[in-house]
Amino acid sequence: LRTPLATIQGYSEAIKDDIAETTDEKNEMARIIHDEATQMSQMITSLLTVSRTKAGFSELNKESVLISAFFHKVINRFSERLNSEKIECDLVVKPGTSHYEMDEEKMHHAIYNLIDNSIHSAADPDLRYKRYIHIEVGLDELVDDLVITVSDNGIGISKESIPFIFERFFKDNKARTMPKNNGSGIGLSLVYTVITEHGGKIEVESTQNKGTSFVIRLPL
C-alpha cells in the first residue's frame, strides 16, 4: 500500500502548493490520484476477501451462471487496456458448456485477476509479432470437471517461483522486473482462494520468455 499512498500524497501536495500551475496539469494530477486510490481500494478488497475466506467467515452465494455471458462481461472490462496495449484476447467456449453453479461475484474477481496478470506480464511488443491472451472453457467428461484455461505468450514465470506463485504478497522478481509488473502480490492468492472455496483446483504451467497457462478445474 505504500507505493500508491506515496503517489497520492505527492500529487495532492503538488496541487495544494500550486506546483501545478495550469488547469490541465491539475486535472492530470487529479486523474493520477484517482487511479492510485482505485488501485489501493482493489488491493484492500482482495486482501479482505482472502483473509475472510481463510478465517472461515466467507460464504458462497451460488447461482446458475451463463458461461459465455460471464466471460464476455469480464473481458469487456479490459477492452481499453487491451486496445492500448495491442493485446488480442479471444474466448472459446466449447460445445456443451452452457451454465455453471458458482458465486458469480467472487469468480468474476478470480478471472479478472488472471486476465489482469496476463496483461501485466505481457512480453515487450518488440519481441512479439502478436501478443495474445487465450481463454478456453470446456467440460472434461471423464472426471466431471469444468476446465478453464487462461493462456498468454508473455514473459513467463521463473521455474523457482512456480511453487510459491499463489502465496500472498509473493512476486516473481526474476521474471517480472519491468516497472509495470510491480503488482501487490495479492491477485493470484485471491484466485487460488476463490477456486479452492468452490472445491476446485488451479495449476500453472510457464516457460520464461514464452508464456504462461493457468488451468482451473471446477467440479460439476
Side-chain angles (χ1 to χ4, degrees):
L1 297 174
R2 196 172 294 162
T3 301
L5 275 174
T7 303
I8 290 169
Q9 184 177 11
Y11 279 105
S12 60
E13 287 177 352
I15 293 173
K16 183 185 69 173
D17 296 339
D18 283 329
I19 294 175
E21 297 178 351
T22 68
T23 301
D24 287 343
E25 287 176 342
K26 289 182 178 180
N27 287 340
E28 176 63 14
M29 289 183 178
R31 184 194 63 77
I32 293 172
I33 289 171
H34 178 268
D35 290 346
E36 293 293 331
T38 300
Q39 179 189 3
M40 190 163 60
S41 177
Q42 291 172 346
M43 290 165 58
I44 293 170
T45 299
S46 297
L47 186 56
L48 286 173
T49 299
V50 172
S51 298
R52 285 171 180 154
T53 302
K54 289 185 178 295
F57 295 123
S58 179
E59 295 182 357
L60 291 177
N61 297 311
K62 285 189 175 183
E63 58 183 330
S64 181
V65 177
L66 183 62
I67 293 295
S68 180
F70 168 81
F71 278 94
H72 280 296
K73 183 178 178 181
V74 182
I75 293 170
N76 284 340
R77 291 185 63 187
F78 293 95
S79 56
E80 288 188 14
R81 285 178 62 191
L82 291 168
N83 287 333
S84 64
E85 293 272 356
K86 294 183 172 57
I87 299 173
E88 295 182 13
C89 183
D90 67 301
L91 169 68
V92 175
V93 179
K94 294 183 176 180
T97 310
S98 57
H99 292 77
Y100 186 74
E101 291 276 339
M102 63 181 174
D103 187 315
E104 184 173 6
E105 182 179 354
K106 289 187 176 182
M107 195 63 71
H108 187 107
H109 286 315
I111 301 303
Y112 178 95
N113 274 285
L114 285 180
I115 298 174
D116 183 64
N117 184 76
S118 291
I119 295 174
H120 275 294
S121 59
D124 188 323
D126 293 335
L127 302 178
R128 292 284 189 274
Y129 169 72
K130 180 174 73 172
R131 302 195 295 173
Y132 68 81
I133 300 171
H134 176 71
I135 303 172
E136 188 170 295
V137 187
L139 299 178
D140 185 342
E141 296 180 351
L142 290 177
V143 291
D144 284 337
D145 279 349
L146 179 73
V147 182
I148 303 168
T149 304
V150 180
S151 306
D152 63 61
N153 64 340
I155 59 177
I157 303 169
S158 64
K159 186 177 180 180
E160 297 85 355
S161 295
I162 288 179
F164 311 103
I165 203 68
F166 296 112
E167 293 185 5
R168 269 182 289 184
F169 306 117
F170 180 81
K171 297 182 185 181
D172 182 17
N173 293 323
K174 291 183 180 179
R176 303 179 182 225
T177 55
M178 299 165 64
K180 68 173 183 175
N181 295 318
N182 59 352
S184 63
I186 301 173
L188 290 180
S189 176
L190 172 66
V191 174
Y192 181 87
T193 300
V194 171
I195 299 305
T196 303
E197 196 176 12
H198 279 78
K201 296 180 180 178
I202 181 169
E203 297 178 346
V204 58
E205 300 173 0
S206 186
T207 303
Q208 280 190 270
N209 300 317
K210 287 190 176 181
T212 301
S213 291
F214 289 94
V215 181
I216 297 170
R217 288 184 168 272
L218 297 166
L220 295 176

